[in-house]
Amino acid sequence: MLEVKDLRASIEDKEILTGFSLNIKPGEVHAIMGPNGAGKSTVGNVLSGRDAYEVTAGDIGFQGEDLLGMLPEDRAKAGLFLSFQYPVEIPGVSNMEFLKTSVDTVREHRGLPALDTVAFMKLAREKCKQVDLELSFLKRGVNEGFSGGEKKRNEMMQMLLLEPSLCILDEVDSGLDIDALQVVAKCVNSMRSPERSFLLITHYQRLLDYIVPDFVHVLAKGRIVKSGGKDLALELEEKGYGWIDGVESST
Amino acid sequence: MTYSLVEKKVPFTLSAATLVESRSRSSQTSWLNDFRREALSQFQSQPWPTRKTESWKYTSLAALSEESYQGEVSEIEGKDVVSSQLSFDGLEGLKLVFVDGVFNQFLSSDESALSADVSGLICQRFSELDDAAKADVQATLGQVVDSENHLFAAHNNAMLQDGLLLKVLKNTKIEKPIQVIHYSTRQTAPCLTIARLVVVVEEGAELTVVERFGSSSETQNGFVNSLTECVVGSNAQLNHYRIHLEDETAQHVGGVHVNLLANSRLNSFQAGLGSVLKRVDVVVNHIEPGAHCELSGIYLPKNKQRIDFHTDIQHRAAHCTTNEVFRGIMADEAKATFNGRIYIHPHAQQTLAELSNKNLLLSNRAEVNTKPELEIYADDVKCAHGATVSQLDGEAIAYLRSRGISREKAELMMSYGFINELVESIKIEPIKQYMTQVLDSWFGQEQ
């Protein structure tokens, strides 16, 4: 599904990823944990193709294709999805119009017929219910005036609608109360399948109680310094990051 | 009567003198002769604006002063006029259509509907006023506008031939909007079109007026000077839509001047599209306490168009509120000017006033000059103003792209949304729908 080899990436000439490698096979759920400043969010941003980051070395293969050669929109069409840590507010563009345009584009890429408005409305209503958002949120501007939790639910709704093959969730748990966290976990768990993979980027172990990963990696100073099974997360929760080689200070 | 015009050396004013003579001879409105003569001398006493005139700094009148606009309007029956330029699908109510300034009965609501009363409504043209209506016009005409400081209002006064009075009697609510539609065509020789509207909403009454300016799609050679004066009585409400959808060669200078009496309300929406020269002045006077003004507008010049909005809100009484929002998008080599002034007079305590102007430039060669002005001479007021000129939010574009939407489409969705926010707030559904279509076509998204 995803093969990252010795990735180096910088922003404004500051190197953040310093030889990051990661292999995700179809159906697997991986979690990346690490102290603040380790470069966790950069992983998601570089994978999704944000302009501000410059990749200076390394390769990324996504479903056999060269991801680095693809535009952000083409990555999304190919089935890569990033749930933003801070989803952007876009006043004036209705959530409904945004979702429909996005779904239409992705469906077209997959050779599926466009959904007519009625069919799309039906689908959107269904997904609204699933993420526990009022239908009125479809009419509002994209994320406009949404609370932190509502923004994350909206991200989950997009994930449900777009049915991506690789879902990257960047700090999806930050700022969420326990109810919202459960909604997020339910979405992810309902979408788990042998064809779909997940990459959870998180600071806290709490999320992993609800979404149980197959692999846990510790990111420090821009590369993975330790990998293990789900128990590694518990160990980190107990001991912090300081005991791992390559992590300077505990957080 | 003679005028010493030669020293003005402005052909435009010279033509004014000859035209006012011929218009004075028009018998139907001879009662306006004195009014016209006074206005002409006022017009002539004012200097012709140049780039050094502050209120005309960014509006070039060069094109105007080269032409004399002395052509005679040849009337048309209206059969050639594209009807979509004259109506809003599904909008009911009285409609009055003027083609090149001349009332056109073929295109207007039929005579019986016009004369018959929508009960409580007086709708008469200046050329056919009864005595009572004449008194109404005389009490208001030239009284709301400050023609000493608005050159083209003085010009309109001087050149006035026909106009329209809309009056709603005390405590009457007119449910259906009244449409006043001006349509310009290309004439053999360049013509001057004078449009004039007087609106009187008496105490406790309510009226919705939709003014629309359109033109044929041929290259325009005329000049339109339009002036609307409104008095909104105490506890009354006026909903005013003014929509400019003219060809890009059109030249139009217009003014809307409103007096708000105690606890009255003005809801006003302005839209500017098309024209090589378009300037609209909107002046609202809060004359008595408790009045409220809700003013919004959009302007969308493209190609080499020029669109200027100048608003001037005068708070002359206490406890009044103003909420003003204008947004514009400039594409290609277009230019726009927004000058928004809010003036709080010394005794206008407890004023709440807000002015926001946001602009989006879609091209490196597009230009906008925005100048919000807040002048406050009272100490107990709450006022805010802001103006921005920007390009689209890069974070938002990145967000949309991360969902599979191309950069081009993302930019389109966002600029559309930027203007559509104001169009969405239009309360009359057929006008909203119509404006949505106008936006679709402006953004090249015709269905």
Side-chain angles (χ1 to χ4, degrees):
Chain A
M1 177 70 66
L2 183 76
E3 261 181 276
V4 186
K5 267 188 232 153
D6 294 325
L7 190 69
R8 286 176 177 270
S10 45
I11 185 164
E12 288 165 3
D13 289 334
K14 189 180 174 215
E15 189 165 69
I16 310 287
L17 297 184
T18 56
F20 174 85
S21 297
L22 181 67
N23 224 323
I24 301 179
K25 294 197 173 66
E28 291 177 352
V29 176
H30 289 241
I32 291 180
M33 302 183 69
N36 289 328
K40 294 196 298 293
S41 283
T42 301
V43 172
N45 286 331
V46 168
L47 288 175
S48 74
R50 281 301 297 271
D51 285 343
Y53 296 86
E54 194 193 346
V55 175
T56 51
D59 292 303
I60 308 176
F62 177 59
Q63 294 178 325
E65 283 189 71
D66 172 24
L67 192 73
L68 290 173
M70 296 163 78
L71 293 171
E73 52 267 41
D74 294 333
R75 299 180 192 200
K77 285 193 265 190
L80 185 142
F81 178 88
L82 170 69
S83 164
F84 281 61
Q85 182 179 3
Y86 303 108
V88 183
E89 299 197 15
I90 314 178
V93 177
S94 85
N95 212 13
M96 180 76 183
E97 184 200 353
F98 159 61
L99 294 171
K100 182 158 189 333
T101 308
S102 175
V103 169
D104 283 351
T105 312
V106 169
R107 281 181 71 92
E108 191 190 341
H109 182 80
R110 291 179 192 160
L112 296 169
L115 293 174
D116 62 37
T117 312
V118 178
F120 180 78
M121 267 310 286
K122 188 168 171 268
L123 187 68
R125 270 197 217 111
E126 206 177 280
K127 304 301 183 196
C128 256
K129 205 178 271 178
Q130 210 172 329
V131 298
D132 203 14
L133 270 183
E134 302 263 345
L135 288 177
S136 61
F137 281 85
L138 290 173
K139 288 193 176 164
R140 288 167 60 175
V142 176
N143 294 320
E144 190 185 2
F146 289 21
S147 70
E150 287 159 355
K151 283 179 180 164
K152 294 295 167 75
R153 287 167 206 247
N154 205 27
E155 295 290 290
M156 289 302 103
M157 176 150 70
Q158 293 164 41
M159 186 175 78
L160 291 169
L161 282 168
L162 295 174
E163 301 179 334
S165 35
L166 173 64
C167 309
I168 305 161
L169 278 60
D170 186 10
E171 306 267 355
V172 73
D173 49 338
S174 69
L176 287 195
D177 61 25
I178 204 78
D179 289 340
L181 188 60
Q182 280 176 346
V183 168
V184 168
K186 234 164 97 184
C187 284
V188 171
N189 290 327
S190 76
M191 286 184 81
R192 286 179 80 153
S193 86
E195 292 83 38
R196 183 172 290 131
S197 312
F198 290 85
L199 177 59
L200 312 172
I201 298 169
T202 180
H203 189 78
Y204 299 105
Q205 186 270 337
R206 182 178 71 155
L207 175 72
L208 308 182
D209 287 341
Y210 297 91
I211 308 169
V212 181
D214 302 309
F215 301 95
V216 174
H217 310 278
V218 178
L219 186 76
K221 289 186 189 163
R223 59 195 178 86
I224 287 172
V225 292
K226 190 171 180 63
S227 297
K230 61 177 189 253
D231 297 336
L232 177 57
L234 294 170
E235 209 174 340
L236 289 168
E237 181 75 0
E238 201 180 305
K239 301 190 198 163
Y241 292 104
W243 59 280
I244 299 169
D245 285 342
V247 182
E248 261 172 10
S249 61
S250 65
T251 348
Chain B
M1 185 158 279
T2 56
Y3 304 101
S4 55
L5 284 171
V6 183
E7 68 257 44
K8 307 278 298 187
K9 290 177 187 148
V10 178
F12 187 72
T13 31
L14 187 66
S15 73
T18 41
L19 267 171
V20 82
E21 277 295 300
S22 75
R23 286 178 185 212
S24 299
R25 287 195 290 273
S26 150
S27 62
Q28 283 166 316
T29 55
S30 54
W31 55 280
L32 284 169
N33 283 352
D34 289 344
F35 179 79
R36 282 190 283 244
R37 270 188 218 104
E38 266 175 49
L40 183 65
S41 66
Q42 192 177 52
F43 175 62
Q44 287 167 335
S45 67
Q46 293 180 45
W48 186 254
T50 67
R51 294 271 166 171
K52 287 178 185 156
T53 315
E54 183 58 28
S55 61
W56 290 88
K57 197 171 172 182
Y58 300 108
T59 314
S60 168
L61 291 172
L64 267 191
S65 31
E66 282 163 18
E67 189 50 72
S68 64
Y69 303 98
Q70 279 175 305
E72 286 289 320
V73 174
S74 58
E75 291 183 37
I76 59 160
E77 283 199 355
K79 296 185 186 89
D80 306 330
V81 176
V82 187
S83 64
S84 67
Q85 287 274 0
L86 300 174
S87 58
F88 299 89
D89 256 3
L91 186 62
E92 295 179 356
L94 281 187
K95 181 161 90 176
L96 296 104
V97 179
F98 295 80
V99 178
D100 297 315
V102 181
F103 179 68
N104 190 305
Q105 59 175 6
F106 299 100
L107 298 168
S108 304
S109 303
D110 63 60
E111 205 71 30
S112 56
L114 283 179
S115 52
D117 2 356
V118 182
S119 160
L121 174 74
I122 293 161
C123 170
Q124 286 183 22
R125 280 178 290 126
F126 292 2
S127 52
E128 51 167 32
L129 295 175
D130 59 31
D131 287 346
K134 197 178 286 179
D136 285 327
V137 170
Q138 279 172 326
T140 311
L141 192 72
Q143 301 300 307
V144 182
V145 64
D146 170 13
S147 51
E148 271 182 40
N149 288 305
H150 288 90
L151 178 70
F152 283 86
H155 179 250
N156 191 296
N157 288 345
M159 306 306 294
L160 185 57
Q161 193 159 27
D162 201 357
L164 182 70
L165 167 71
L166 291 175
K167 181 183 177 183
V168 189
L169 302 180
K170 196 172 167 179
N171 295 330
T172 308
K173 181 177 177 177
I174 306 297
E175 298 284 347
K176 292 177 182 167
I178 313 288
Q179 300 174 56
V180 182
I181 293 172
H182 287 274
Y183 185 81
S184 303
T185 66
R186 181 185 173 84
Q187 295 278 348
T188 329
C191 289
L192 172 67
T193 293
I194 296 290
R196 190 68 177 250
L197 177 63
V198 170
V199 178
V200 179
V201 188
E202 286 194 333
E203 186 183 340
E206 184 178 339
L207 176 68
T208 299
V209 178
V210 182
E211 278 192 279
R212 173 164 170 182
F213 296 87
S215 73
S216 59
S217 55
E218 40 195 357
T219 301
Q220 298 292 301
N221 59 354
F223 171 63
V224 179
N225 177 337
S226 66
L227 185 57
T228 296
E229 289 180 279
C230 311
V231 177
V232 188
S234 52
N235 296 305
Q237 179 168 331
L238 173 64
N239 308 308
H240 184 216
Y241 293 81
R242 189 172 159 114
I243 293 165
H244 294 261
L245 299 168
E246 292 149 312
D247 183 78
E248 61 184 1
T249 51
Q251 301 188 70
H252 185 163
V253 174
V256 177
H257 298 256
V258 185
N259 281 355
L260 295 177
L261 304 189
N263 302 312
S264 64
R265 187 182 173 98
L266 170 71
N267 296 317
S268 176
F269 176 82
Q270 309 272 333
L273 287 98
S275 299
V276 69
L277 160 66
K278 188 192 309 296
R279 154 129 180 181
V280 183
D281 283 63
V282 182
V283 180
V284 178
N285 298 298
H286 290 277
I287 304 259
E288 292 179 353
H292 180 63
C293 164
E294 196 76 36
L295 173 61
S296 63
I298 58 174
Y299 43 96
L300 299 161
K302 54 160 62 168
N303 302 326
K304 292 192 169 182
Q305 298 166 14
R306 301 284 179 269
I307 301 180
D308 297 1
F309 275 99
H310 290 241
T311 70
D312 185 5
I313 315 295
Q314 295 282 333
H315 280 264
R316 299 173 189 277
H319 299 283
C320 294
T321 55
T322 293
N323 184 21
E324 180 179 350
V325 183
F326 270 78
R327 287 192 182 178
I329 299 186
M330 281 52 64
D332 310 313
E333 291 166 61
K335 280 188 193 169
T337 299
F338 176 82
N339 194 335
R341 178 155 81 144
I342 295 181
Y343 192 105
I344 319 276
H345 291 256
H347 43 277
Q349 300 294 2
Q350 303 273 312
T351 292
L352 284 178
E354 263 186 73
L355 164 63
S356 152
N357 173 234
K358 290 186 183 172
N359 299 282
L360 207 53
L361 296 171
L362 295 189
S363 132
N364 289 334
R365 286 168 300 164
E367 184 181 314
V368 64
N369 297 290
T370 172
K371 189 168 123 190
E373 295 174 81
L374 207 46
E375 286 187 58
I376 305 175
Y377 298 99
D379 53 14
D380 184 16
V381 300
K382 237 186 194 169
C383 297
H385 73 297
T388 61
V389 179
S390 60
Q391 277 157 6
L392 293 165
D393 175 10
E395 289 288 312
I397 290 174
Y399 186 74
L400 294 176
R401 290 178 80 191
S402 79
R403 299 300 181 248
I405 298 166
S406 69
R407 175 189 286 277
E408 204 181 23
K409 175 80 181 164
E411 287 176 351
L412 185 66
M413 285 171 80
M414 287 173 58
S415 17
Y416 187 101
F418 175 75
I419 288 297
N420 196 40
E421 268 188 278
L422 295 188
V423 170
E424 279 291 317
S425 65
I426 294 176
K427 291 191 181 71
I428 301 175
E429 197 56 33
I431 296 181
K432 191 205 285 189
Q433 301 260 329
Y434 189 89
M435 288 311 297
T436 304
Q437 286 168 26
V438 168
L439 283 195
D440 286 349
S441 113
W442 198 89
F443 285 101
Q445 289 194 310
E446 275 141 307
Q447 300 294 313

